[in-house]
Amino acid sequence: MKKEVCEILEEQCVVGFTGKVNFMREGNSELLGHLLFLNGEIVNAVIGSLNSYKALMSLLAKAELTSDVKLVVEPELVPMTKKKLDFPLEVIKRKLDQYLELYKESVLKRPSDELNLVIRPEFLESDEDVTPEEFELLTTISDYSLVKDIYIQNKMLDHDITNSLV
C-alpha cells in the first residue's frame, strides 16, 4: 500500500476515528468513493453502487495503481448498521497485496469494456457443470450484457470475473 495512504488509514485506526475517508481525484476533487470508520475500524467501503469487500479492494487498488488520488478525512456519525466489514488494517494490507497480484495477472485477459456478452442457448441446454462463481456471473450476464456493466454490477472481485469468463 502506498505510504501516504497507509499512514492516513493507520492514523485513523490509532486515534479511534469515526467518519469517512474520501478517495478523490487530485485534479478536480471528483469523489471516487469512501471508507467508513467506526471507533478506529474500517467498517464499510463504498464506490459507486458497490459496497463492502469489493468496494474496499477497488478503492485501495485505485489508490495504489494511480497517482492522482487524494484522501480527505471527514468526521461523521456512523451507525453500527453500516458495518459490513470486520478486518484489522494489517489483514486488509495483506489481502490488498494478494488482490493486486491477481488483478495484475487478470487485467491482461479482461475483455474490452465495450464488448457485449450473451449466453449461448446451447450452453443453457447442456448438462455442463457450472461452478458457483460461473453461476453468479451467468446471472449478471442475463441482466447486463456490456462488459463494463458486468464488472460494475457483479459482486465478485474483478479477477474472479475475468477468470470465470475465460
Side-chain angles (χ1 to χ4, degrees):
M1 189 180 305
K2 284 186 180 173
K3 185 179 177 197
E4 53 274 3
V5 172
C6 189
E7 285 175 355
I8 290 173
L9 298 182
E10 283 175 349
E11 182 180 285
Q12 305 322 306
C13 291
V14 169
V15 299
F17 176 71
T18 295
K20 285 182 186 177
V21 174
N22 294 311
F23 284 65
M24 306 174 95
R25 288 218 189 279
E26 189 112 353
N28 61 7
S29 294
E30 172 192 357
L31 180 65
L32 301 171
H34 64 267
L35 298 180
L36 281 179
F37 279 79
L38 180 61
N39 301 323
E41 293 180 21
I42 297 173
V43 295
N44 201 353
V46 177
I47 184 170
S49 63
L50 295 176
N51 66 41
S52 196
Y53 187 71
K54 183 173 181 177
L56 173 69
M57 289 296 116
S58 296
L59 267 177
L60 294 176
K62 220 171 256 221
E64 185 74 20
L65 299 172
T66 60
S67 60
D68 70 335
V69 174
K70 68 178 179 179
L71 275 59
V72 178
V73 178
E74 179 182 332
E76 180 178 300
L77 293 174
V78 177
M80 279 298 285
T81 57
K82 296 280 188 182
K83 187 170 184 168
K84 306 253 194 258
L85 298 169
D86 193 16
F87 299 112
L89 187 57
E90 293 305 315
V91 172
I92 291 171
K93 288 182 198 176
R94 278 197 311 272
K95 287 181 176 290
L96 178 63
D97 288 341
Q98 294 167 350
Y99 173 79
L100 288 172
E101 192 173 306
L102 293 169
Y103 176 81
K104 287 175 185 174
E105 289 174 14
S106 70
V107 76
L108 300 172
K109 302 175 197 171
R110 180 179 169 148
S112 166
D113 280 349
E114 276 61 44
L115 186 66
N116 279 304
L117 300 179
V118 292
I119 303 167
R120 289 190 333 253
E122 307 87 51
F123 177 78
L124 294 175
E125 295 169 357
S126 73
D127 290 333
E128 282 188 54
D129 288 336
V130 177
T131 66
E133 292 83 12
E134 291 169 336
F135 181 78
E136 170 81 24
L137 185 57
L138 286 169
T139 59
T140 305
I141 292 172
S142 68
D143 293 332
Y144 305 94
S145 64
L146 197 62
V147 168
K148 180 180 177 182
D149 294 336
I150 293 167
Y151 276 84
I152 290 170
Q153 298 299 327
N154 193 285
K155 292 186 182 353
M156 296 187 323
L157 296 173
D158 288 1
H159 66 272
D160 290 331
I161 294 172
T162 302
N163 289 338
S164 292
L165 285 173
V166 174

